[in-house]
């Protein structure tokens, strides 16, 4: 039982990271219709922003995290200005291919800046653990779940209780009508990209202590976030959360009770099953129902 | 000063002249209608006025200020409001949230003031009982009223209405006519109405512009328009004059 509790917490922790990556993915997709193939590299940049501020610059924790997230916010704005804005008049496919190009560029930029040797990103609650139902739970894992819960609550408030969030939802549905309400559409779209980058930054900072900071870590994260959005429902925020947690749990439980060699097969197998049986996912709408 | 003015508007789509040398003048607080057969260029004119389409030639002025190349959202902030022909509410927002998107241009309001302001508009429009409902659960007629509320929340000086009575039953049209007359009296709005419902046009409009094949063929009071042979021939039909008489 103790082992099971430990696995559940660990699964929820890694699932929380996938959920945050998936939420960033969904925010951008909902607002712009763009499937961001650089989403995994955004998380990787978040981890390396932490490496730069915590490990290299040796800043105190709060400043290091703040600086890393500020770097990610600036990166989101830069991405909007230099990739999305110039390409937005083209087809969506053009922008999507642009994100693929950027993902390759980001990976190589990280390789040039940090080298191929993995780093270890420390956690502020390193080596701390609590006992829960006989299981020894890493405090970092609990912190990841708690931080994700706070982020999700904050996002809910943003989208449902503020005019900025309502405006973002309006832009996501009908850009032309949003312009006719006087909404500053470009500013709201820029905010969507910045928000996605900051969420990826939070995911990266939390993932760093669980995985090694490796310039190649982006692709597996992107695939997991993608699986989470498919399972939860493409374009659905609750879906991204549920899907992320589900992928994290299936990965950890599958590795323990089946085989670590098949842990990815289980989550991707479930994703394929959803695509075949319920392509709209748990919370998603059928594509023909949108609009 | 005129509330809204379009001077010598030309707009071509490929070889088709959607608008050819069209003028439109709307005085402060005046109710103007633009009528004409389908494809006459009425919606294109509204698109040019709101910046959704740029004219090839001509000028648009709002309260005397040239806005011809101004972005749509800036025109709305400068005092234009518009509804769409087929009703384009934000389907996944509630009634209140839809109206909030219009009220949000009043950037200096706090979040709670913005909600209160939106609720005031909703109450004025008789939608208070459904303020928190999902908009797609409303009847088509009430959705059109939400769209009108949303445009009013922008606090426009000039309101452009693109076939607001389309799809409404006669009772709903009567309600809409009363509501528009009230709103105009309450807010001193200038209104540009595009509509095929001639009963509504003749009851509300002080001045009517008639378009046909992208050209303005007549302009005048409802009585003048109803007696204009060119309008009867191109749009209203010869029988209309006899029916009115």
């Amino acid at each position: 039982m103790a082992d099971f509790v430990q696995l559940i917490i660990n699964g929820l922790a890694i699932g929380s990271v996938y959920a945050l990556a998936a939420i960033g993915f969904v925010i951008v997709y909902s607002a712009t219709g763009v499937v961001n193939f650089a989403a995994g590299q955004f998380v990787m940049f978040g981890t390396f922003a932490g490496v730069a501020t915590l490990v290299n610059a040796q800043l105190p924790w709060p400043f290091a995290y703040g600086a890393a997230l500020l770097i990610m916010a600036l990166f989101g704005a830069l991405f909007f200005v230099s990739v999305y804005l110039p390409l937005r008049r083209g087809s969506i496919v053009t922008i999507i291919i642009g994100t693929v190009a950027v993902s390759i560029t980001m990976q190589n930029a990280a390789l040039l800046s940090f080298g191929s040797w993995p780093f270890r990103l420390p956690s502020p609650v390193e080596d701390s653990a609590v006992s829960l139902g006989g299981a020894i739970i890493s405090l970092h894992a609990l912190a990841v779940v708690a931080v994700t819960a706070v982020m999700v609550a904050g996002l809910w408030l943003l989208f449902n209780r503020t005019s900025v969030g309502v405006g973002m939802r309006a832009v996501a549905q009908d850009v032309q009508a949003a312009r006719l309400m006087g909404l500053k559409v470009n500013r709201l779209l820029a905010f969507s990209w910045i928000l996605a980058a900051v969420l990826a930054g939070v995911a990266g900072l939390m993932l760093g202590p669980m995985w090694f900071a490796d310039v190649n870590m982006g692709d597996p994260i992107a695939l997991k976030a993608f699986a989470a959005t498919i399972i939860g429902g493409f374009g659905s925020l609750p879906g991204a959360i549920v899907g992320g947690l589900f992928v994290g749990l299936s990965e950890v439980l599958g590795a323990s009770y089946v085989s670590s060699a098949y842990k990815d097969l289980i989550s991707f197998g479930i994703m394929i099953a959803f695509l075949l049986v319920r392509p709209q996912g748990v919370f998603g709408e059928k594509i023909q129902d949108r609009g | 000063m005129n509330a809204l003015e379009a001077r010598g508007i030309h707009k071509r789509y490929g070889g088709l002249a959607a608008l050819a040398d069209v003028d439109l003048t709307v005085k402060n607080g005046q109710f103007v209608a633009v009528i004409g057969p389908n494809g006459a260029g009425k919606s294109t004119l509204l698109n040019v006025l709101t910046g959704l389409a740029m004219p090839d030639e001509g000028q648009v002025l709002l309260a005397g200020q040239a806005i011809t190349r101004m972005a749509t959202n800036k025109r709305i902030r400068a005092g234009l409001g518009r509804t769409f022909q087929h009703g384009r509410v934000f389907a996944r927002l509630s009634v209140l949230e839809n109206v909030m998107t219009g009220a949000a241009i009043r950037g200096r309001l706090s979040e709670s003031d913005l909600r209160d302001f939106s609720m005031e508009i909703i109450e004025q429009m008789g939608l208070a009982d459904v303020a928190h409902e999902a908009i797609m659960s409303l009847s088509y007629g009430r959705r059109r009223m939400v769209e009108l509320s949303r445009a009013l929340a922008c606090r426009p000086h000039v309101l452009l209405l693109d076939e607001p009575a389309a799809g409404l039953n006669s009772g709903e049209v009567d309600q809409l006519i009363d509501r528009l007359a009230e709103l105009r009296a309450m807010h001193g709005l200038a209104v540009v109405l595009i509509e095929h419902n001639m009963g509504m046009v003749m009851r509300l409009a002080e001045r009517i512009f008639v378009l046909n094949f992208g050209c303005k063929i007549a302009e005048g009071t409802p009585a003048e328009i109803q007696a204009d042979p060119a309008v009867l021939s191109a749009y209203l039909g010869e029988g209309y004059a006899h029916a009115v008489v």
Side-chain angles (χ1 to χ4, degrees):
Chain A
M1 184 61 191
D3 286 350
F4 183 71
V5 172
Q6 195 160 344
L7 290 173
I8 292 288
I9 299 290
N10 288 342
L12 289 176
I14 191 71
S16 296
V17 172
Y18 295 152
L20 285 179
I23 291 170
F25 205 74
V26 166
I27 286 172
V28 164
Y29 173 74
S30 299
T32 65
V34 172
V35 178
N36 179 15
F37 277 93
Q41 277 69 29
F42 273 47
V43 176
M44 180 269 289
F45 255 36
T47 305
F48 276 97
V51 169
T53 57
L54 262 176
V55 180
N56 294 355
Q58 299 277 308
L59 293 175
W61 289 105
F63 293 108
Y65 276 15
L69 294 180
L70 182 64
I71 290 168
M72 290 306 292
L74 292 172
F75 177 72
L78 179 70
F79 190 95
F80 172 76
V81 172
S82 60
V83 181
Y84 179 76
L85 271 187
L87 296 178
R88 73 182 166 148
R89 303 230 181 265
S91 69
I92 286 291
V93 175
T94 308
I95 306 173
I96 290 171
I97 290 174
T99 68
V100 174
V102 169
S103 74
I104 296 166
T105 308
M106 288 171 73
Q107 196 163 332
N108 284 287
L111 186 63
L112 281 173
S113 305
F114 294 93
S116 58
W117 196 253
F119 287 81
R120 204 181 156 280
L121 185 66
S123 162
V125 287
E126 192 129 276
D127 300 329
S128 304
V130 289
S131 178
L132 197 71
I136 304 299
I137 308 290
S138 137
L139 204 55
H140 180 78
L142 285 176
V144 168
V145 176
V147 167
T148 302
V150 170
M151 298 291 294
V152 167
L155 283 172
W156 187 89
L157 287 174
L158 171 72
F159 285 119
N160 294 287
R161 288 285 178 268
T162 71
S163 54
V164 171
V166 171
M168 288 171 75
R169 286 162 62 205
V171 168
Q173 291 176 53
D174 189 337
V175 169
Q176 205 177 53
R179 284 190 205 284
L180 274 169
M181 291 300 102
L183 294 175
K184 292 175 177 168
V185 169
N186 278 348
R187 205 175 283 186
L188 291 168
L189 289 174
F191 187 62
S192 300
W193 282 101
I194 290 169
L195 188 59
V198 169
L199 287 171
V202 174
L205 290 172
M206 296 195 303
L207 186 63
M210 294 194 278
W211 289 10
F212 281 106
D214 177 356
V215 295
N216 298 311
M217 66 194 284
D219 287 337
I221 295 166
L223 285 172
K224 296 290 167 59
F226 195 66
T229 52
I230 297 274
I231 292 168
F234 224 91
S236 160
L237 281 178
I241 299 160
V242 170
L245 295 177
F246 184 82
V247 170
L249 284 170
S250 66
E251 185 178 304
V252 170
L253 294 174
S256 294
Y257 293 117
V258 183
S259 160
S260 62
Y262 294 129
K263 67 185 172 92
D264 289 343
L265 180 72
I266 293 166
S267 44
F268 290 127
I270 293 167
M271 179 190 82
I272 290 167
F274 262 91
L275 283 173
L276 291 171
V277 178
R278 192 178 162 82
Q280 70 268 37
V282 178
F283 291 100
E285 304 157 320
K286 289 179 183 172
I287 296 297
Q288 62 266 34
D289 290 342
R290 284 181 68 99
Chain B
M1 186 188 292
N2 293 322
L4 179 68
E5 200 175 344
R7 293 181 189 157
I9 301 293
H10 288 260
K11 179 68 189 173
R12 297 187 72 81
Y13 291 106
L16 174 76
L19 293 171
D21 198 22
V22 171
D23 294 322
L24 175 81
T25 304
V26 187
K27 296 196 173 86
N28 282 325
Q30 191 177 34
F31 204 116
V32 162
V34 179
I35 63 171
N38 288 328
K42 304 183 297 295
S43 291
T44 303
L45 180 60
L46 284 203
N47 287 343
V48 167
L49 294 175
T50 48
L52 295 181
M54 288 295 156
D56 299 322
E57 286 176 49
Q59 253 197 322
V60 181
L61 296 106
L62 182 66
Q65 185 199 354
I67 58 164
T68 315
R69 302 282 154 195
M70 191 183 270
T72 298
N73 66 333
K74 289 184 180 166
R75 293 180 199 221
I76 303 303
R77 286 165 187 269
L80 271 185
R82 179 187 174 169
T83 64
F84 283 97
Q85 186 175 352
H86 299 295
R88 280 166 64 174
V89 291
F90 298 116
R92 281 172 278 162
L93 301 187
S94 70
V95 171
L96 174 62
E97 288 170 337
N98 262 278
V99 178
M100 280 175 66
T101 61
I105 66 169
R106 296 158 65 88
R108 279 165 289 179
L109 290 182
S110 69
E111 291 293 335
S112 66
D113 287 347
L114 198 144
R115 276 174 190 269
D116 291 346
F117 172 72
S118 303
M119 275 308 295
E120 259 176 53
I121 302 253
I122 286 170
E123 281 163 15
Q124 276 174 22
M125 299 295 286
L127 295 164
D129 57 320
V130 290
H132 299 284
E133 299 288 319
I135 195 151
M136 298 314 280
S137 67
L138 271 56
S139 68
Y140 182 75
R142 292 199 103 186
R143 268 186 256 158
R144 298 300 304 250
M145 295 307 277
V146 174
E147 203 194 357
L148 184 56
S149 310
R150 196 178 65 173
L152 285 170
C154 300
R155 278 281 179 257
H157 304 304
V158 184
L159 184 59
L160 313 177
L161 302 173
D162 197 350
E163 298 193 28
L168 304 189
N169 62 38
S170 59
E172 288 171 332
V173 171
D174 286 340
Q175 277 178 14
L176 179 63
I177 290 171
D178 293 343
R179 196 50 53 87
L180 286 174
E182 274 171 34
L183 288 170
R184 201 181 141 219
M186 200 185 300
H187 301 293
L189 281 174
V191 180
V192 178
L193 171 72
I194 288 182
E195 189 50 68
H196 287 292
N197 184 323
M198 284 305 109
M200 181 176 180
V201 168
M202 298 304 168
R203 275 173 70 184
L204 288 170
E206 295 164 285
R207 194 150 193 85
I208 299 175
F209 293 75
V210 187
L211 297 183
N212 193 28
F213 292 114
C215 300
K216 187 172 81 178
I217 59 168
E219 174 188 345
T221 62
E224 289 165 348
I225 293 299
Q226 288 174 74
D228 189 315
V231 178
L232 293 174
S233 159
Y235 182 51
L236 295 179
E238 299 296 341
Y240 186 85
H242 299 130
V244 170
V245 170

